[in-house]
Amino acid sequence: MIKIDALYASLAKIERQMKVYELMDDDPEMKIKALENVINEFDSIGDRVLEGIKQATALLKKVGSEDIGSRIEKIAEKITLKP
């Protein structure tokens, strides 16, 4: 499942990196590094959310009815997130 506290921690890291970015007026190399850190953190959030969606899908398939499982499969095929 998606861990909310990990998402909050990631958002806090992004906020800190954006503050660092704003303070670095004359160092383009450090600004690029700060932006790379922000991008990496957003990527990490996306990975964790995707994993949470996969886990939730698997759980719904186990506890849900056949109808729920087949609907999830159809959606997953359309968005290419096959669990």
Side-chain angles (χ1 to χ4, degrees), residues 21-82:
Y21 177 84
E22 291 170 359
L23 294 173
M24 293 182 189
D25 291 333
D26 57 348
D27 193 347
E29 188 174 315
M30 291 302 289
K31 286 182 97 165
I32 289 172
K33 182 67 176 165
L35 288 177
E36 286 174 350
N37 290 340
V38 168
I39 291 167
N40 289 338
E41 202 59 43
F42 271 117
D43 190 38
S44 175
I45 289 171
D47 291 345
R48 287 191 303 258
V49 169
L50 180 58
E51 186 58 35
I53 290 169
K54 288 179 182 179
Q55 291 172 359
T57 300
L59 180 63
L60 284 172
K61 285 181 181 179
K62 288 179 185 177
V63 300
S65 69
E66 190 62 34
D67 180 53
I68 291 174
S70 65
R71 290 174 73 182
I72 290 171
E73 279 293 326
K74 287 178 186 177
I75 292 169
E77 288 173 6
K78 287 182 181 179
I79 58 175
T80 65
L81 296 177
K82 287 189 175 183

